[in-house]
Amino acid sequence: MHVCSLRLSHFRNYDTLEVEFHPQLNLFLGSNAQGKTNVLEALYCLSTTRSFRGSSDDEIVQFSQEAAAIESVVQREEGQEQVRLELRRDKPKTLLVNGKKQKKLSSLLGRLPAVVFSPDDLFLVKGGPSLRRRYLDTMMFQMDAGYLAHLQQYERALKQRNSLLRQRVPNLESQLAVWDLPLAQHGAAIMKRRLEISAQLSRSAGEALRDLTGGAEKFEVRYEPTLPVEGDEGSLEKKMIEAFTKARREEIARGVTVVGPHRDDLGLWVNGQMLRKFGSQGQQRTGALALKLAQLDILAEGCHTAPLVLFDDVMAELDDKRQAFFLNRLQQGGQAFLTGTAPADFAAAQAKARVFRVEAGKIQMTQEGPKPVPVRA
Amino acid sequence: MAEYPPSLERLLHELEKLPGIGPRTAQRLAFHLLKQPADISRALAAALVDARTKLHPCRDCFNLTEETLCNICASSNRERSSLLVVEDPSDVVAFERTHEYRGLYHVLGGTLSPLEGRGPQDLTLDALVERVKKAGSFKEIIVATDPTVEGDSTALYIQQLLKGVTVKVTRLARGLPSGGDVEYADESTLLKALEGRREL
Ligand SMILES: Nc1ncnc2c1ncn2[C@@H]1O[C@H](COP(=O)(O)OP(=O)(O)O)[C@@H](O)[C@H]1O
Ligand SMILES: [Mg+2]
Ligand SMILES: [Zn+2]
C-alpha cells in the first residue's frame, strides 16, 4: 500500500498543492519555514485524523481562510481509494472516501498507519509521562478502535469527576459514586490493553536497540500503572473502585482524581538503569529511536500493512552508520517521506528517492527517482 | 469593517445565543428573514411568543404541554405500570414514533454534568422518586438516557435513588450507537434498544 498523490487546499502555508509521490522513498529539501513539515503533517492527518504537533484545526487552516482540505489517492491491494479530509475553523472535520461522506472519522484509523520520527522524540525519554502515554495511545488507537472509544469515554468521565471533586456539594459521596463506575470500567479496559502492548513494546524496542547498538545494550520497557494490573477486567474494575474509596479524602482535598490510567507511565531502562536519569544524551537519543522503530514493527503487525514513515529533520542527526541502517530499513517495505535542509545529509538516500524542492508553500519535483522496485505483493 | 445598524446587531446577537448557531449562520438567517416580506418575520415572532407563553412542563411527567397534564398522562389508554425516563421532550416524540411503547414517561431535563454545573437538584429527580412512590402502580422503570458517559452516570444515580422503592429498574440496551443521541436514533434502532433492555 502507498500514497500515490496528495492535494492540499488552504492547508497551513499551501494555497493549493498537487504532488505525486514515489511509492518508496520521497525526499523534501528546503530552507526552514518553507512547508516541509506541513506536508508530513497533512499525511499524518490522513492517517490519524489529527496533527502530530498537537495543533487544532483552527491552527492548521490557512491564515484568513475558513476551511482546509487534504485529499489523497491511496493504492491498496484491493484497488485505489480516494480519501478526503475537510477541516474547518469552528466545526468538526468531515471525511469522504471515494466521494462518499463517512459517518465516523474513526473509520479512517488503522487504514493508513503512520509513524513520525522527529528530533522531538528525545522528549519521549526526557520529558514527562504524558508524552509517553500519548505515544502509547496513538499507537493503540490505530490498531484497536475499541481502545479509542474507551479512552474518549474515560477522559470524559474523568473531566466530570474532577469537576465534581472541586464543587462543594452536600451529597458528594453518592454523586462521586456514579462517576467512579465508568472510570473503573473504561480505566480497567485501558490498563489491561496498555499492559499487553507494553510487553510487546519491550520485546520490540529491545530488538531495535540491539540492532542500533550492535547488541551492546539491553533495553526494557516497563508499564507503570497507579495500581497493580492483575486478574480479569472485572476484578480490576473492583480494585479501582476500592482504590477510589481509599483515596477519597486525598482526592477531595486536592480536587483531582489520583488513581487511574491518566497517571500511567512507561519506565525505560537500559542495562538496568533508568534511561531518563542516568542515560547519556546519546543513549537517550538511541532509546527514543528504538521506541519509534518498535512502533513501526507493532503497527505493521497490528494493521497488517507497512506504516508510512514520516522522517522529519532526523537524517541530519544520524551518523553515517545509522543513516545506512535506516535506509536499509526503509527499503524493506513501506513508503517513506524524509525532510531536511541540507542535501549533503541525504547523500546515500538521494539516488534512491524522488526529490522535491520546497519553497514558500510551493513544491517542485527536481528528480523523479528510480523506477519502483517491487517489494512483496 | 462596516458596523451594522443597532437593530440588526441586536437580532444577530439574539440568534447567536441559540445552540449550533455561530456568527455566520446567524447572519444567513437574519438576512434571509429581512429579504422576505415583513409578515414572515411577524409570524415567526408571534409563534415564538405564543409557544413560550402557552407551553409549560406537564405536572406529572414534565413533558411540554399547554394543559396541566400532557396528552399522554391524561390519556386513559396508557399502561400505568411502566415508566420510561428520558432526557428531553424531544426523546418522548422519538419513542412515540415507534408506536410500540404504551406506558408513561418522565422527562429529566438533561443529565448530570458537573462540568456544566448540573447536579441532581437541577433535574426532575426528586419529583421522579416522589411520583414512583405515590403512584405505587409502576412495575418497571426504564431509563432511556443517551448512551453517553453522562447518560450512563445519570441512569446509575436513578438506580441508587430508587433502591428503597420496590420496582424493577432497567436500562435501554446498547442498540444505540455509543455516544449517540436518542433523539436522532431511527425507529428500528429505538425498538431494538427497547426490546433488549437490561436490569440495572
Ligand atoms: N495556518 C497557517 N496558515 C499559513 N501559514 C502557516 C500556517 N501555519 C504555519 N504556517 C507557515 O508554515 C511555515 C512553516 O512550515 P513548516 O512546514 O513547519 O516549515 P519547515 O519547512 O521548516 O518544515 C511557516 O512559514 C509558517 O508561517
Ligand atoms: Mg520542519
Ligand atoms: Zn405528562
Side-chain angles (χ1 to χ4, degrees):
Chain A
M1 184 197 60
H2 67 273
V3 181
C4 307
S5 64
L6 178 72
R7 290 168 68 145
L8 299 178
S9 87
H10 305 312
F11 183 96
R12 297 279 192 190
N13 66 335
Y14 291 97
D15 284 331
T16 59
L17 172 74
E18 269 194 71
V19 273
E20 295 200 351
F21 296 131
H22 190 273
Q24 277 143 353
L25 221 47
N26 296 276
L27 185 54
F28 298 87
L29 295 171
S31 323
N32 280 321
Q34 300 306 307
K36 300 182 299 295
T37 303
N38 293 345
V39 174
L40 302 195
E41 186 181 38
L43 287 166
Y44 192 82
C45 282
L46 285 176
S47 168
T48 62
T49 78
R50 54 182 87 176
S51 159
F52 59 78
R53 292 160 159 173
S55 305
S56 65
D57 294 357
D58 190 49
E59 292 164 294
I60 290 175
V61 172
Q62 192 174 31
F63 305 142
S64 81
Q65 294 291 331
E66 280 305 309
I70 312 168
E71 191 176 302
S72 79
V73 174
V74 180
Q75 179 71 51
R76 300 182 184 285
E77 274 173 39
E78 318 89 79
Q80 288 198 339
E81 183 176 83
Q82 189 209 53
V83 183
R84 181 181 166 90
L85 201 58
E86 295 171 354
L87 294 77
R88 287 175 198 78
R89 283 199 187 280
D90 53 355
K91 277 197 212 126
K93 298 181 188 72
T94 43
L95 168 67
L96 293 99
V97 176
N98 293 329
K100 232 183 101 194
K101 196 171 159 191
Q102 305 292 300
K103 264 207 193 123
K104 283 192 169 177
L105 269 186
S106 58
S107 64
L108 201 58
L109 298 175
R111 310 251 313 135
L112 188 69
V115 176
V116 185
F117 290 77
S118 105
D120 288 346
D121 291 344
L122 186 56
F123 294 108
L124 264 183
V125 177
K126 288 179 84 160
S130 68
L131 294 169
R132 287 180 287 280
R133 286 194 299 270
R134 197 167 77 186
Y135 160 80
L136 269 186
D137 290 343
T138 47
M139 175 163 56
M140 300 284 290
F141 68 59
Q142 294 190 61
M143 296 186 287
D144 178 358
Y147 183 81
L148 183 63
H150 283 303
L151 202 61
Q152 284 172 337
Q153 307 215 45
Y154 180 83
E155 278 165 8
R156 183 74 194 165
L158 182 66
K159 269 198 198 142
Q160 292 283 19
R161 192 175 187 275
N162 284 343
S163 163
L164 186 60
L165 278 169
R166 279 178 228 117
Q167 293 172 19
R168 296 279 160 260
V169 291
N171 53 345
L172 184 60
E173 291 274 329
S174 67
Q175 288 196 53
L176 274 175
V178 303
W179 301 105
D180 288 357
L181 199 74
L183 225 53
Q185 277 171 350
H186 299 298
I190 292 167
M191 290 193 291
K192 272 282 202 223
R193 287 165 161 87
R194 282 185 179 171
L195 178 69
E196 279 167 31
I197 201 80
S198 300
Q200 207 180 339
L201 202 53
S202 197
R203 281 193 301 276
S204 246
E207 274 169 37
L209 196 76
R210 268 197 303 282
D211 290 346
L212 285 166
T213 59
E217 298 188 328
K218 191 176 172 313
F219 197 21
E220 223 188 310
V221 179
R222 292 184 202 154
Y223 180 45
E224 293 174 353
T226 48
L227 70 163
V229 180
E230 302 152 343
D232 60 10
E233 251 175 66
S235 64
L236 188 53
E237 247 177 78
K238 283 206 200 82
K239 289 220 189 71
M240 255 185 104
I241 303 252
E242 281 166 26
F244 286 139
T245 315
K246 236 190 244 161
R248 192 126 294 176
R249 210 184 277 168
E250 186 194 349
E251 291 191 326
I252 292 171
R254 292 174 53 190
V256 288
T257 302
V258 298
V259 277
H262 64 289
R263 291 279 174 109
D264 281 354
D265 199 358
L266 282 179
L268 307 174
W269 301 76
V270 169
N271 297 333
Q273 292 198 324
M274 204 196 274
L275 189 55
R276 181 166 55 86
K277 287 202 174 139
F278 304 110
S280 68
Q281 179 96 346
Q283 277 178 317
Q284 292 179 343
R285 243 178 235 292
T286 312
L289 274 178
L291 284 175
K292 283 307 178 83
L293 282 168
Q295 193 168 36
L296 205 52
D297 281 339
I298 293 174
L299 276 177
E301 197 184 312
C303 303
H304 311 291
T305 183
L308 303 183
V309 179
L310 309 176
F311 227 66
D312 196 21
D313 279 333
V314 179
M315 260 328 186
E317 290 189 346
L318 303 178
D319 61 26
D320 291 349
K321 235 170 87 187
R322 292 251 163 103
Q323 283 200 9
F325 170 82
F326 270 95
L327 208 56
N328 180 36
R329 199 43 221 251
L330 295 178
Q331 284 179 303
Q332 284 166 22
Q335 191 181 21
F337 301 83
L338 290 66
T339 73
T341 45
D345 294 330
F346 297 89
Q350 260 204 20
K352 292 164 176 145
R354 181 167 297 178
V355 185
F356 300 93
R357 162 125 233 111
V358 183
E359 212 176 328
K362 298 249 181 320
I363 291 188
Q364 206 189 343
M365 187 174 78
T366 57
Q367 174 185 305
E368 191 168 347
K371 258 208 152 69
V373 194
V375 217
R376 299 182 277 144
Chain B
M1 225 187 344
E3 260 180 58
Y4 290 127
S7 58
L8 179 51
E9 196 69 71
R10 192 172 142 221
L11 175 58
L12 292 172
H13 182 70
E14 293 303 325
L15 285 170
E16 274 175 47
K17 288 186 193 162
L18 300 174
I21 297 197
R24 280 178 170 258
T25 317
Q27 240 183 51
R28 212 171 56 233
L29 291 174
F31 286 123
H32 172 81
L33 282 170
L34 294 171
K35 240 194 309 192
Q36 308 278 316
D39 278 355
I40 304 259
S41 292
R42 248 180 242 121
L44 176 63
L48 262 177
V49 173
D50 195 43
R52 193 61 195 90
T53 39
K54 283 189 183 150
L55 292 169
H56 52 84
C58 164
R59 188 196 68 195
D60 288 355
C61 76
F62 297 90
N63 191 8
L64 286 175
T65 178
E66 294 184 1
E67 319 295 329
T68 311
L69 288 178
C70 73
N71 52 5
I72 298 171
C73 288
S75 163
S76 55
N77 293 327
R78 309 290 300 210
E79 288 158 14
R80 286 171 195 262
S81 56
S82 75
L83 188 66
L84 190 71
V85 182
V86 296
E87 291 180 18
D88 295 302
S90 53
D91 299 328
V92 174
V93 178
F95 277 102
E96 283 300 283
R97 268 203 303 261
T98 65
H99 300 294
E100 197 59 27
Y101 179 70
R102 303 295 309 147
L104 299 178
Y105 294 93
H106 190 89
V107 178
L108 289 172
T111 59
L112 294 174
S113 178
L115 276 171
E116 293 158 288
R118 220 166 36 240
Q121 68 291 342
D122 302 302
L123 306 175
T124 62
L125 287 164
D126 289 341
L128 171 67
V129 177
E130 196 64 10
R131 185 178 174 196
V132 172
K133 275 190 192 155
K134 209 169 124 202
S137 60
F138 295 116
K139 294 206 179 71
E140 183 181 1
I141 313 293
I142 309 162
V143 185
T145 46
D146 288 345
T148 56
V149 172
E150 289 78 11
D152 286 348
S153 294
T154 308
L156 213 58
Y157 195 79
I158 291 174
Q159 185 216 8
Q160 283 185 6
L161 281 180
L162 292 174
K163 237 175 204 154
V165 193
T166 49
V167 283
K168 190 161 85 172
V169 183
T170 57
R171 174 93 174 100
L172 224 57
R174 287 285 177 147
L176 295 173
S178 194
D181 207 327
V182 166
E183 186 192 344
Y184 297 118
D186 61 37
E187 281 140 50
S188 69
T189 321
L190 275 187
L191 266 180
K192 264 193 232 132
L194 204 51
E195 280 159 10
R197 60 188 185 267
R198 271 191 305 268
E199 197 150 350
L200 266 177

